[in-house]
Amino acid sequence: MSVRRVLTGITTTGTPHLGNYVGAIRPAIRAAQQADNESFFFLADYHALIKCSDPEQVQRSTLEIAATWLALGLDTSRAVFYRQSDIPEISELTWILNCSAAKGLMNRAHAYKAAVQANEDNGDDPDYAVTMGLFSYPVLMAADILMFSAHDIPVGRDQIQHVEMARDIAQRFNHNYEELFVLPEARVDDNVAVLQGLDGRKMSKSYNNTIPLFDTEKRLKKAINKVKTNLLEPGEPKDTADSTVFQLWCAFADQAGVASMEQAFAEGIAWGEAKKQLFERVNEELRGPREEYDRLIAEPGHIESVLRQGAERAREHSAPLMEKVRSAVGIRPMG
């Protein structure tokens, strides 16, 4: 059986929400349980510094996201779970890759181009408020991926470019120096749901329309009751195609549950009743993990220990590869 190494990074900004759970966390944890996958998961706290300049938020988000993955059942005896900043070889590799990565490639990065376009639209200097972190973060991302010889990188379609850039950087290094890096491939799962938020748009922190993953039952119920609906009265048939309530239901219900709710919509279920059933279904799935999350949040020392152990396992891979990289570029002992 051929084992493929899968690597997933989670940026430590913000609090996880239902969209993160359905779109990324739940499928990733399930994939990590498959015998033909060797999974690496890391908390991308260096990447967080590009987006967030609040130290307390970066630290708090790191704690919350680590607790989230552990509470939802990530098996750290199988998967390697570590914090990016605990792997010093990543920073070192980033610099070495910076010395061979093409600036023209960085110019084409979507995030940088979007920042430049926004500045030009506002009549500002094209590089106004653009940091070197924003400009060159694809190199850091390449180091994250190449350091662990990952074959598959699960991403959304908007992230494919990052994996392609890592591949380009790896090819350039392999050609100029030595064949050390595995060429990664983006893995896009079109079956993964993209959840709608409270206002019907994609659930996203940038839209302020999220439902936090581990809110209390009371707050979860209140959030679900805010989900946007139309003005159709009880007894009037409702269309499932444009319903956020139904879309959220499908993300948590099994096949029989989906069929049952489709029938209820056709029969004109009241929006209040539909939201009540949605809350009960979501809460049922999250009740146990929520209790575990609260326990973990109260024991940050335990989470720190788990991440340190993960870093030790990760460095069993990163330290030997970094020695080869140094030697390949001519940074070697004398004599």
Side-chain angles (χ1 to χ4, degrees):
M1 179 178 61
S2 176
V3 176
R4 293 184 69 82
R5 187 169 291 175
V6 182
L7 182 138
T8 301
I10 312 104
T11 306
T12 55
T13 54
T15 299
H17 54 73
L18 291 190
N20 300 141
Y21 171 62
V22 170
I25 302 173
R26 186 171 65 183
I29 290 176
R30 288 174 179 172
Q33 296 166 348
Q34 297 173 7
D36 59 348
N37 277 350
E38 185 181 15
S39 296
F40 283 62
F41 296 94
F42 70 95
L43 303 173
D45 49 352
Y46 281 150
H47 283 287
L49 302 182
I50 300 168
K51 302 178 181 179
C52 181
S53 57
D54 181 350
E56 300 305 319
Q57 183 179 338
V58 171
Q59 183 184 33
R60 179 67 187 179
S61 180
T62 302
L63 173 66
E64 290 178 349
I65 292 172
T68 296
W69 283 78
L70 295 173
L72 289 168
L74 179 64
D75 183 356
T76 55
S77 68
R78 284 177 52 87
V80 182
F81 185 50
Y82 59 97
R83 181 170 41 203
Q84 183 185 37
S85 58
D86 285 337
I87 315 299
E89 292 83 10
I90 289 175
S91 299
E92 186 176 358
L93 180 59
T94 298
W95 176 253
I96 290 176
L97 296 179
N98 261 317
C99 293
S100 60
K103 178 178 179 293
L105 183 65
M106 298 301 103
N107 290 341
R108 296 194 291 276
H110 294 326
Y112 173 63
K113 288 174 66 177
V116 169
Q117 186 64 56
N119 284 334
E120 291 177 343
D121 290 347
N122 291 331
D124 295 324
D125 181 274
D127 286 327
Y128 173 74
V130 174
T131 65
M132 284 305 299
L134 173 63
F135 180 71
S136 64
Y137 83 94
V139 184
L140 175 58
M141 190 171 292
D144 291 325
I145 295 168
L146 302 179
M147 180 62 77
F148 297 104
S149 305
H151 303 100
D152 298 322
I153 316 299
V155 291
R157 292 203 170 275
D158 60 337
Q159 298 284 312
I160 291 175
Q161 186 197 42
H162 296 143
V163 183
E164 292 176 340
M165 294 174 87
R167 189 181 178 92
D168 184 280
I169 291 168
Q171 285 176 318
R172 179 180 285 239
F173 183 96
N174 287 351
H175 175 74
N176 290 341
Y177 294 105
E178 185 180 336
E179 291 270 346
L180 292 180
F181 296 127
V182 171
L183 302 185
E185 296 180 9
R187 192 170 75 181
V188 179
D189 186 350
D190 288 326
N191 295 318
V192 171
V194 177
L195 282 199
Q196 294 171 9
L198 300 176
D199 57 3
R201 294 182 293 176
K202 174 185 174 182
M203 190 176 292
S204 171
K205 291 187 288 286
S206 60
Y207 294 148
N208 195 31
N209 67 352
T210 65
I211 300 175
L213 183 56
F214 288 133
D215 254 352
T216 63
E217 287 191 18
K218 184 177 181 180
R219 289 179 177 173
L220 175 63
K221 186 173 186 178
K222 186 176 181 180
I224 288 175
N225 282 335
K226 290 181 180 178
V227 173
K228 184 179 179 181
T229 56
N230 56 37
L231 299 176
L232 291 173
E233 297 290 336
E236 295 184 84
K238 296 169 177 63
D239 186 1
T240 59
D242 62 354
S243 170
T244 300
V245 171
F246 184 76
Q247 194 245 14
L248 289 168
W249 174 267
C250 289
F252 287 87
D254 58 18
Q255 195 169 4
V258 171
S260 174
M261 187 58 79
E262 282 181 330
Q263 182 64 29
F265 266 57
E267 294 172 356
I269 187 172
W271 286 122
E273 176 61 23
K275 289 180 178 180
K276 175 176 177 290
Q277 292 186 29
L278 173 61
F279 161 72
E280 291 171 351
R281 179 68 195 88
V282 174
N283 192 53
E284 178 185 347
E285 182 163 328
L286 297 182
R287 181 183 288 112
R290 183 195 299 124
E291 292 174 359
E292 178 65 4
Y293 174 84
D294 290 339
R295 184 189 71 80
L296 288 166
I297 284 289
E299 298 181 15
H302 172 69
I303 295 177
E304 180 70 23
S305 175
V306 170
L307 293 174
R308 294 281 184 178
Q309 291 172 29
E312 288 179 12
R313 292 176 62 196
R315 293 197 68 201
E316 291 173 4
H317 300 272
S318 63
L321 179 60
M322 201 60 230
E323 285 188 19
K324 294 178 182 177
V325 171
R326 289 190 205 105
S327 179
V329 300
I331 300 175
R332 307 164 184 155
M334 298 296 176

